[in-house]
Amino acid sequence: MTRSVNGQPLPVSEADVVVIGAGAFGVTAAYQLARLGAGRVVLVDQFAPASQTSPRAAGLYKQIQADATLTKLAQLSIEIVTGFEAATGVPLPVLRSGSLLTARTPAHAAMIREEAAASAGWGVDCELVDPAAARRLAPYLTTDGLRATCHIPGDIFVEEPSTLLAAYLAAGEKQGVKVLAETPVTGLRVSNGRIGGVVTTRGEIATERVVDAAGAWSAIVGRLGEATVPVVPVRHQLLITEPIAGIAPEEPITRIIDAAVYLRPARGGLMIGGFESDPMPLDPRQAGSDFAMDQVPLDRDVLDRLAADVRDQVPVLPDSGVAEHRGGLLTMTADARFLLGPATGVDGLWLATGCNGSGFSLSSGCGRVLAEWMIGGAPPFDVSSLDPRRFGETAFDPDALTKAGLWQYANYYTPAGVTV
Ligand SMILES: Cc1cc2nc3c(=O)[nH]c(=O)nc-3n(C[C@H](O)[C@H](O)[C@H](O)COP(=O)(O)OP(=O)(O)OC[C@H]3O[C@@H](n4cnc5c(N)ncnc54)[C@H](O)[C@@H]3O)c2cc1C
């Protein structure tokens, strides 16, 4: 994609909030801000809205999370998207597939049992199932080598991720959100430590509140206001096979955690993606000012290795043709938690980034929480573990940050302490 900058002057010169970035975080925040009465909400994107990482996602939702806060956000997100049409009048198709979380090593099996018990305590409906039950639920699996499997019936997926973004854009426009495409933000006006406006290639918008939801570019946008946004952009890929006889669209998502692989039905075939142990960082700061997500180099070898690792559980994979191979950039943080809340050191600048691989699914909850926080002065529940101000300056050492972000990616399903 080449940037086609809109040459028309801006149709607005003032706003109550400007949201920078029309990906999953930006569209959800803009919609919720407008719905909750933030006033004039403007959503700007340097490219076409909803065109960068978010439409390339797998569309998976996962209630079993690392802690109670993320679990609550996952559950809130599922509640919002499954009730979206009723609340907004805008259709949003969702597959209520459920999911299986499964492990092939004793250490990972123990981890699944612990996570299931903790999650049940946080209100997630989940149960351990035997291999025969797992196969009944997901006939695309053979159960050879599975040591523990947990079934989470309430997990869902969105078949085509672009539909979620389109639905939020439509619902936001109904609430009065003004969307400005092909409008790169090139500066933030800051005086006496307070945001005063946004500078774009088409002119300026005076505003006292800005949300940096610029995904892989969020550190660049933060820097425009002298704010540090500690994210590490890392490539992530998936592929969708050609249709495979016998795969039903509502079969569950499966996550094989020791292989760091996820699977789901997709377009009559299977989708596979996963987290390689030798990830590739790619920072737009070094990639040049025209960098766009379609320039992320794709590497089939990575996915072939992941597929080979699970061939005993999904024997149909190696013989299936590939219909689509896609990828984008995750924004990892040093502790695998979002950056959601006020930026350090600049009043009026808020962050909604640091997706850590679950920004598509949890963005619905994040958008709601951020909007309530910005409007009401406090988040609706304790999200201090996501507050960008939690990091000390030491976390901003670039080499240490990159090392930590890559570690979080490579150990996505396996927290510290589990060794195989
Ligand atoms: C292959 C793949 C599979 C994934 N699967 C899942 C999944 O199953 N579930 C899940 O939850 N997550 C998944 N993710 C992660 C998910 O896609 C991301 O967490 C999410 O899309 C991040 O959204 P975003 O809004 O931060 O970024 P983006 O969607 O990239 O949006 C950021 C926007 O900011 C704009 N922008 C940047 N700089 C400027 C500027 N200066 N001026 C104006 N606009 C600007 C960009 O143009 C862009 O549109 C997956 C990711 C990939 C790559």
Side-chain angles (χ1 to χ4, degrees), residues 95-115:
L95 275 117
R96 296 168 193 257
S97 59
S99 78
L100 298 174
L101 193 61
T102 194
R104 307 173 301 179
T105 71
H108 289 94
M111 191 185 123
I112 284 193
R113 290 190 199 98
E114 277 163 31
E115 286 198 347

Side-chain angles (χ1 to χ4, degrees), residues 54-79:
S54 300
R56 292 166 165 83
L60 313 178
Y61 288 64
K62 180 173 185 280
Q63 289 175 80
I64 292 194
Q65 294 281 340
D67 60 37
T69 304
L70 293 174
T71 302
K72 203 164 175 171
L73 276 172
Q75 292 181 309
L76 175 61
S77 298
I78 290 176
E79 186 188 313

Side-chain angles (χ1 to χ4, degrees), residues 215-240:
W217 297 263
S218 51
I220 297 176
V221 168
R223 179 56 50 204
L224 297 174
E226 300 300 321
T228 305
V229 181
V231 292
V232 183
V234 180
R235 180 186 64 189
H236 184 63
Q237 310 174 79
L238 60 77
L239 62 79
I240 299 173

Side-chain angles (χ1 to χ4, degrees), residues 13 27 32 39 134 137 147 190-191 195 225 242 257 389-390 414:
S13 57
V27 298
Q32 294 288 358
L137 289 159
R147 285 180 183 263
V190 179
S191 78
I195 283 283
E242 299 283 2
I257 59 169
R389 297 168 296 187
R390 69 189 179 276
T414 307

Side-chain angles (χ1 to χ4, degrees), residues 183-219:
T183 307
V185 170
T186 54
L188 295 176
R189 293 259 176 250
V190 179
S191 78
N192 299 326
R194 278 210 66 83
I195 283 283
V198 168
V199 183
T200 81
T201 51
R202 301 169 61 193
E204 293 197 23
I205 307 170
T207 185
E208 292 183 354
R209 284 190 292 187
V210 169
V211 178
D212 175 358
W217 297 263
S218 51

Side-chain angles (χ1 to χ4, degrees), residues 3 20-26 44-61 165 183-186 213-218 220-221 224 235-238 255 262 293 326-331 338 352-362:
R3 179 182 290 171
I20 303 172
F25 281 115
V44 295
D45 202 288
Q46 60 185 345
F47 300 122
S51 64
Q52 298 302 301
T53 288
S54 300
R56 292 166 165 83
L60 313 178
Y61 288 64
L165 300 154
T183 307
V185 170
T186 54
W217 297 263
S218 51
I220 297 176
V221 168
L224 297 174
R235 180 186 64 189
H236 184 63
Q237 310 174 79
L238 60 77
R255 297 179 174 92
Y262 55 79
M293 222 41 80
R326 67 187 188 227
L329 296 177
L330 308 185
T331 49
F338 302 125
T353 184
C355 81
N356 286 287
S358 51
F360 178 82
S361 51
L362 270 62

